[in-house]
Amino acid sequence: MKGSRSLSQFLTLALALAPLASAWPEWLPDVDSLVVRQDDGSSSAKVTAAPTSTAANSKETSTDKNDKTTAVDEPESTNLNTAKPTTADSGDKTATGNSTAKATHSTFDAQDGAGGVAMITPATTAGTTLYRIGDPTPITWVWNYTSLQGTPSAVDVLVSCSTATATWTLTQNMTFDPTATFTWDTQKYTESVVASPLLVAQYTLIIHDSESSADATAEAGYLAPFNGFQFGLYTSRPYQDLGEWKCATCSGALGDAERQALGFAVSMSIITILSFTWYVTGFAALL
């Protein structure tokens, strides 16, 4: 009976203290901020405090049975710039300092037509020009440009051969000049390009803008690919004395074998005609 009364009194006391525990005074430090300082016997005391931070500064407080220590940290600098840099893979970029601006591509009137090339040396009225492969004297071509409004910065010079279905690049990024001159040493070129030698055939000279291609579409005011000059290349043969030279197809005289074959063919033709006539009309028709 006495034990049940003690239990009921303990429960009544616990229920009475429950509101006091939930209403912990705000002017007292937080329960979590009360820590116990470790006494390790060293001459200097270390303080461990749970920080309570504010926007301006932070304070740390620690207590034990015999000592109270309050540490105040200096205000920390806070980077208030929360913006994040953004990058774009495409689009215009603005930069300070030295910059190189891209040249604008002008558009000209379509009625003006595209620019072209006019050969000066050799003249187009000279007919097909022949050059000897390996000649010590280099080949020289001279030309100028017509109807150009947008001048190219450089040009490429090539030659193509339809027989070999190949194209040889003679020079790239040749500096633009209103009157251009190009020299081609076929002897040095043949020695340097052994894998693809020049053939005895007809070739076409190609000139185009270095920023374009040989098969690009012509654009008004700009240089159109030029392929209007054709020439031939041939190789020389060693010298041979005229008295020792024989032409198998040049002599019209017949030899003994040819004369005998011709006589036999004529004789057989006559015999065939006479025999056929006698068979058809009879021998009397021959008298």
Side-chain angles (χ1 to χ4, degrees), residues 95-121:
T96 59
N98 296 330
S99 61
T100 303
K102 295 183 179 179
T104 57
H105 185 79
S106 303
T107 302
F108 302 101
D109 190 355
Q111 296 181 356
D112 295 340
V117 173
M119 295 298 300
I120 300 176
T121 303

Side-chain angles (χ1 to χ4, degrees), residues 97-157:
N98 296 330
S99 61
T100 303
K102 295 183 179 179
T104 57
H105 185 79
S106 303
T107 302
F108 302 101
D109 190 355
Q111 296 181 356
D112 295 340
V117 173
M119 295 298 300
I120 300 176
T121 303
T124 55
T125 57
T128 302
T129 306
L130 299 178
Y131 302 102
R132 181 165 62 93
I133 300 175
D135 193 341
T137 303
I139 301 172
T140 301
W141 293 317
V142 182
W143 66 86
N144 58 14
Y145 303 94
T146 60
S147 304
L148 278 183
Q149 300 183 49
T151 57
S153 59
V155 295
D156 294 348
V157 180

Side-chain angles (χ1 to χ4, degrees), residues 199-265:
L199 303 179
V200 178
Q202 189 175 25
Y203 292 79
T204 301
L205 178 65
I206 300 175
I207 303 172
H208 67 84
D209 191 340
S210 296
E211 298 181 356
S212 181
S213 60
D215 55 354
T217 304
E219 187 177 356
Y222 293 94
L223 179 62
F226 171 77
N227 57 0
F229 174 68
Q230 294 181 342
F231 60 94
L233 293 179
Y234 69 94
T235 56
S236 60
R237 294 184 177 182
Y239 172 78
Q240 187 178 8
D241 186 76
L242 184 60
E244 300 177 357
W245 179 71
K246 293 181 180 180
C247 179
T249 59
C250 296
S251 178
L254 297 178
D256 294 338
E258 287 83 2
R259 285 194 297 269
Q260 291 177 3
L262 181 60
F264 178 77

Side-chain angles (χ1 to χ4, degrees), residues 27-261:
W27 53 268
L28 291 176
D30 295 338
V31 177
D32 296 337
S33 65
L34 296 179
V35 296
V36 179
R37 181 174 60 86
Q38 179 182 358
D39 188 5
D40 54 359
S42 60
S43 59
S44 59
K46 296 183 179 179
V47 178
T48 303
T52 301
S53 60
T54 60
N57 53 28
S58 62
K59 296 182 179 181
E60 296 180 354
T61 306
S62 64
T63 61
D64 59 7
K65 296 180 179 179
N66 300 322
D67 191 12
K68 291 185 180 181
T69 303
T70 302
V72 179
D73 295 337
E74 294 295 331
E76 297 180 356
S77 59
T78 304
N79 184 9
L80 300 179
N81 184 9
T82 58
K84 296 181 180 179
T86 58
T87 59
D89 294 336
S90 61
D92 297 336
K93 296 181 179 179
T94 303
T96 59
N98 296 330
S99 61
T100 303
K102 295 183 179 179
T104 57
H105 185 79
S106 303
T107 302
F108 302 101
D109 190 355
Q111 296 181 356
D112 295 340
V117 173
M119 295 298 300
I120 300 176
T121 303
T124 55
T125 57
T128 302
T129 306
L130 299 178
Y131 302 102
R132 181 165 62 93
I133 300 175
D135 193 341
T137 303
I139 301 172
T140 301
W141 293 317
V142 182
W143 66 86
N144 58 14
Y145 303 94
T146 60
S147 304
L148 278 183
Q149 300 183 49
T151 57
S153 59
V155 295
D156 294 348
V157 180
L158 307 87
V159 292
S160 66
C161 178
S162 58
T163 303
T165 61
T167 301
W168 292 265
T169 301
L170 304 184
T171 184
Q172 290 180 321
N173 296 323
M174 177 180 173
T175 303
F176 174 80
D177 193 356
T179 301
T181 301
F182 180 75
T183 302
W184 183 25
D185 192 340
T186 57
Q187 184 177 13
K188 293 182 178 179
Y189 187 85
T190 304
E191 294 174 355
S192 61
V193 185
V194 181
S196 57
L198 297 173
L199 303 179
V200 178
Q202 189 175 25
Y203 292 79
T204 301
L205 178 65
I206 300 175
I207 303 172
H208 67 84
D209 191 340
S210 296
E211 298 181 356
S212 181
S213 60
D215 55 354
T217 304
E219 187 177 356
Y222 293 94
L223 179 62
F226 171 77
N227 57 0
F229 174 68
Q230 294 181 342
F231 60 94
L233 293 179
Y234 69 94
T235 56
S236 60
R237 294 184 177 182
Y239 172 78
Q240 187 178 8
D241 186 76
L242 184 60
E244 300 177 357
W245 179 71
K246 293 181 180 180
C247 179
T249 59
C250 296
S251 178
L254 297 178
D256 294 338
E258 287 83 2
R259 285 194 297 269
Q260 291 177 3

